[in-house]
Amino acid sequence: MTDQVRGFSSPAAPASKGAALRRLFASPSPIVIAGAHDGLTARLVEEAGFDGVWASGFEISASFGVPDASILTMSETLAASRTMSEAVSIPVIADCDTGFGNAINAIRTVQAFEAAGIAGLCIEDNVFPKRCSFYPGVKRLLADTDEQALKIRAAVEASSKDFVVIARTEALIAGWGLEEALRRGRAYADAGADAILIHSRQSTIDEVAQFADQWDRLTPLVCVPTTYRTATVEDLARLGFKMVIFANHGLRAEIRAIQETLQTLRTENRASSVEDRIVPLSEVYRLVNLNQLKTDERAYLPPDTESVKAVILAAGFDRRLMPLVSDRPKAMLEVKGKSILERQIDALQQLGVRQIAVVRGYKKEQMTLPNVKYYDNDAFEESGEMESLLRAGAELSGPVVVMYGDILFDRNILERLLQSPDDITLVCDRSWPDMRAGREAIGPDLVVESPTPRRHHRFLADAQPVRVTLIGQSIDSTQATAEFIGMAKLSARGCQILGEVYRELRERGADQPVHESPSFRAAKLTDLLHEVIARGHSVASVGIYQGWLEVDTFDDYRRAWTEVG
Ligand code: SPV
Ligand code: MG
């Protein structure tokens, strides 16, 4: 989240696809579009360089395994057309057959298709239920011309000025002749159609050429050269056609390719037998934009916590809590019927972290919770947390949460830490400057962060990344921006960095002081982190404002009882 607030005073709305289609009509070149029936085939049409997609009734019906005969509903055609439009950036023109009923039905059709982002539609003068123009042996009836013209007017008036309404006449298909075709074309043009589609199933261009020749309106013409297939776009443009639709060639290519591939597979019984005629999987990934999915997953999904491990450092002995801890380690102190350690494990498991290791030492036999891996640091009295952490070195290979065994925390703190994309992240409580007076005495782990975070935005994530620049107990408490709560996350790279720095310190000698600790063995986690920062590695801060407590003293323990739910 950032400081930026989304406003409502947005700039002018982006131009609709209808407007884009209108621009194509206004340009001098012919508009060439191709049929499709789903998102993928529409995308192939776009990639092939066509100006638009024809959401073909013939193709969509075939993709359902049914004839092109008004069998699909308006909703089914709309859903298919919307899917296509969503998959491409070019305009989609929907083949709406008869408009799915009379003029009243056509009004709703137009409104629904325009609302779905479709650029335009085509309504033909077949009577419902229509039959595909090419099916043989069909008795063809046409709608009454005046009624159809009113339907076209209704469609035009129900849509916005950008939406394109194409009126199609089937007069030539029905064998009613050129004059009737022209009469109908004129009637629909005069009713406000944006273009007239003259359909023909002759094997030559002659019929549509005659129509174009005698066309006496300004309304542009559209044709579908499925049967007069040798005609080129240039031929048709020369005759006066503004738009050419290659209506179903993708579907027919697909059927041939699938049939041949499946037949080969069935006879050869071996996947490799068809390898040279199919696209590799990577081509499918590209077409469905797998890269975008990956980017979105990184940006918007919580990280895969299944693969995150946890190491809980619970080896130490804390004299301040005697005699409460005379018979058990601090992590096993109960707060309202559950030990601190159980509460930590619950929180981790509920957030999907299931591989949990505990480093135990003092009274280790008391730590027997199931489903947890144990590492022992029997030298807990002389050694510090750094040593304990490295006892669990086998866990430090991938993403791992490291936490002290004596902290109680709201689950959302852990959740935010798990979401951190950084290699090394510490949870830092920014209430420090407000709470300093009460906590100075216990010598907390302090941090200085940069840039200095804005505390009053305490419920929001930082607008920009905040880094920890200093860490330790000896930091001037008035300079400290936050308190490190004893919870950190390391990525695989973060583990590597910590390991490298650890080995370097070890090579310097076991007696050498490490930051605030007198020796390598006694070094604390914060000493190791200091050395990491000192070597120029970036340590990120996840800022919180309270919501946790550390059980160091009787007072802390009492507070735990009142504050934990
Ligand atoms: C379609 O593609 O559904 C058409 C064009 O309407 S045609 O099939 O040629 O009639
Ligand atoms: Mg059709």
Side-chain angles (χ1 to χ4, degrees):
M1 206 183 294
T2 70
D3 272 353
Q4 284 171 357
V5 177
R6 282 156 61 111
F8 291 101
S9 57
S10 49
S16 67
K17 286 193 182 173
L21 181 56
R22 278 190 184 275
R23 275 197 300 279
L24 290 172
F25 270 103
S27 83
S29 325
I31 307 168
V32 189
I33 69 174
H37 54 270
D38 57 16
L40 180 63
T41 51
R43 197 162 281 167
L44 293 173
V45 168
E46 178 171 32
E47 279 205 342
F50 286 93
D51 298 314
V53 175
W54 170 244
S56 156
F58 181 87
E59 285 208 16
I60 298 170
S61 300
S63 76
F64 276 70
V66 300
D68 182 14
S70 291
I71 291 171
L72 297 186
T73 63
M74 189 267 261
S75 311
E76 286 168 322
T77 307
L78 174 61
S81 305
R82 178 192 282 119
T83 304
M84 288 184 240
S85 188
E86 284 169 355
V88 296
S89 62
I90 53 178
V92 170
I93 300 175
D95 173 7
C96 284
D97 296 343
T98 62
F100 302 99
N102 65 16
I104 308 307
N105 303 100
I107 289 172
R108 179 150 190 270
T109 298
V110 164
Q111 288 168 341
F113 277 70
E114 181 165 16
I118 313 298
L121 54 64
C122 179
I123 294 178
E124 65 202 32
D125 54 9
N126 273 312
V127 292
F128 183 90
K130 66 84 52 82
R131 294 285 177 269
C132 167
S133 312
F134 303 128
Y135 290 161
V138 172
K139 180 163 176 275
R140 295 190 180 275
L141 299 174
L142 296 187
D144 172 76
T145 308
D146 293 340
E147 190 180 343
Q148 185 69 10
L150 277 172
K151 190 191 277 190
I152 297 299
R153 182 175 301 285
V156 170
E157 291 180 356
S159 55
S160 79
K161 65 176 185 12
D162 284 345
F163 194 74
V164 173
V165 175
I166 301 175
R168 157 172 162 181
T169 180
E170 293 280 287
L172 299 179
I173 299 281
W176 290 19
L178 185 62
E179 277 315 311
E180 178 65 11
L182 284 164
R183 197 178 69 81
R184 284 175 173 264
R186 289 181 192 121
Y188 308 155
D190 295 346
D194 294 300
I196 300 296
L197 191 160
I198 175 70
H199 206 7
S200 160
R201 55 175 171 166
Q202 272 194 356
S203 56
T204 68
I205 202 171
D206 303 348
E207 202 173 50
V208 294
Q210 280 167 1
F211 184 97
D213 185 51
Q214 293 187 36
W215 183 239
D216 51 8
R217 295 289 189 277
L218 290 174
T219 312
L221 295 179
V222 183
C223 65
V224 187
T226 303
T227 51
Y228 43 103
R229 53 181 166 244
T230 56
T232 64
V233 169
E234 292 72 22
D235 295 336
L236 294 162
R238 233 175 284 120
L239 291 174
F241 285 98
K242 179 64 191 171
M243 180 186 274
V244 176
I245 306 177
F246 291 114
N248 50 40
H249 300 81
L251 173 85
R252 288 155 67 191
E254 175 182 87
I255 292 172
R256 165 76 55 85
I258 295 175
Q259 280 173 336
E260 290 180 356
T261 302
L262 294 177
Q263 273 154 18
T264 306
L265 272 177
R266 193 69 194 97
T267 47
E268 299 288 323
N269 285 332
R270 193 166 27 87
S272 64
S273 63
V274 295
E275 206 62 32
D276 58 352
R277 67 167 90 182
I278 60 177
V279 296
L281 289 173
S282 56
E283 174 62 356
V284 184
Y285 304 157
R286 186 189 68 77
L287 281 164
V288 300
N289 211 348
L290 190 62
N291 282 342
Q292 187 62 45
L293 172 71
K294 288 183 183 161
T295 308
D296 290 345
E297 279 181 348
R298 273 195 299 274
Y300 305 121
L301 291 187
D304 169 19
T305 49
E306 290 285 318
S307 62
V308 180
K309 297 181 180 180
V311 174
I312 300 173
L313 303 175
F317 164 65
D318 199 333
R319 203 169 307 282
R320 290 172 292 183
L321 281 167
M322 283 302 268
L324 273 180
V325 293
S326 59
D327 62 342
R328 68 188 70 191
K330 192 157 67 164
M332 296 308 288
L333 279 179
E334 268 180 28
V335 179
K336 296 191 181 164
K338 258 190 187 177
S339 66
I340 299 173
L341 185 60
E342 276 175 292
R343 288 177 181 277
Q344 294 186 329
I345 293 170
D346 278 358
L348 285 162
Q349 286 180 339
Q350 273 168 22
L351 289 172
V353 180
R354 302 198 193 282
Q355 302 179 67
I356 302 171
V358 178
V359 184
R360 58 188 182 178
Y362 174 68
K363 299 279 176 210
K364 68 179 183 187
E365 66 287 350
Q366 299 295 321
M367 274 191 190
T368 52
L369 295 173
N371 305 322
V372 174
K373 204 163 165 184
Y374 291 102
Y375 292 91
D376 293 344
N377 178 8
D378 293 325
F380 61 89
E381 269 174 301
E382 316 87 68
S383 65
E385 293 135 3
M386 182 174 81
E387 182 64 29
S388 284
L389 179 62
L390 270 294
R391 292 287 159 111
E395 309 297 317
L396 304 181
S397 57
V400 59
V401 171
V402 177
M403 65 172 77
Y404 295 160
D406 60 358
I407 56 171
L408 290 163
F409 48 85
D410 288 344
R411 193 166 317 143
N412 74 327
I413 292 177
L414 178 57
E415 200 168 359
R416 286 194 42 213
L417 177 65
L418 285 168
Q419 282 167 8
S420 165
D422 293 280
D423 287 328
I424 305 174
T425 309
L426 311 185
V427 179
C428 298
D429 181 358
R430 306 228 175 108
S431 73
W432 170 255
D434 302 331
M435 309 306 288
R436 191 150 60 89
R439 291 196 47 83
E440 255 163 356
I442 56 164
D445 298 330
L446 298 178
V447 295
V448 174
E449 300 157 286
S450 174
T452 305
R454 292 159 63 186
R455 274 171 34 237
H456 47 279
H457 277 196
R458 61 203 191 195
F459 300 116
L460 298 182
D462 296 316
Q464 53 180 322
V466 175
R467 306 279 152 208
V468 175
T469 54
L470 291 174
I471 186 164
Q473 292 175 343
S474 54
I475 291 173
D476 175 352
S477 73
T478 61
Q479 299 300 306
T481 55
E483 180 179 353
F484 170 49
I485 76 162
M487 195 191 284
K489 182 171 153 273
L490 308 171
S491 68
R493 173 78 192 121
C495 288
Q496 230 174 30
I497 293 170
L498 243 66
E500 282 162 16
V501 175
Y502 173 83
R503 282 188 291 279
E504 196 188 318
L505 294 172
R506 190 178 54 195
E507 274 157 30
R508 264 185 2 192
D511 317 329
Q512 292 296 313
V514 180
H515 188 40
E516 296 168 346
S517 292
S519 70
F520 174 76
R521 286 211 83 186
K524 298 172 293 175
L525 180 60
T526 50
D527 296 324
L528 180 58
L529 290 167
H530 165 87
E531 297 293 337
V532 165
I533 296 167
R535 279 160 183 73
H537 297 293
S538 167
V539 172
S541 159
V542 162
I544 61 165
Y545 195 94
Q546 303 188 345
W548 69 287
L549 62 86
E550 181 181 22
V551 181
D552 277 336
T553 63
F554 283 105
D555 265 356
D556 292 338
Y557 189 48
R558 204 171 300 128
R559 241 180 79 213
W561 274 81
T562 53
E563 291 188 12
V564 166

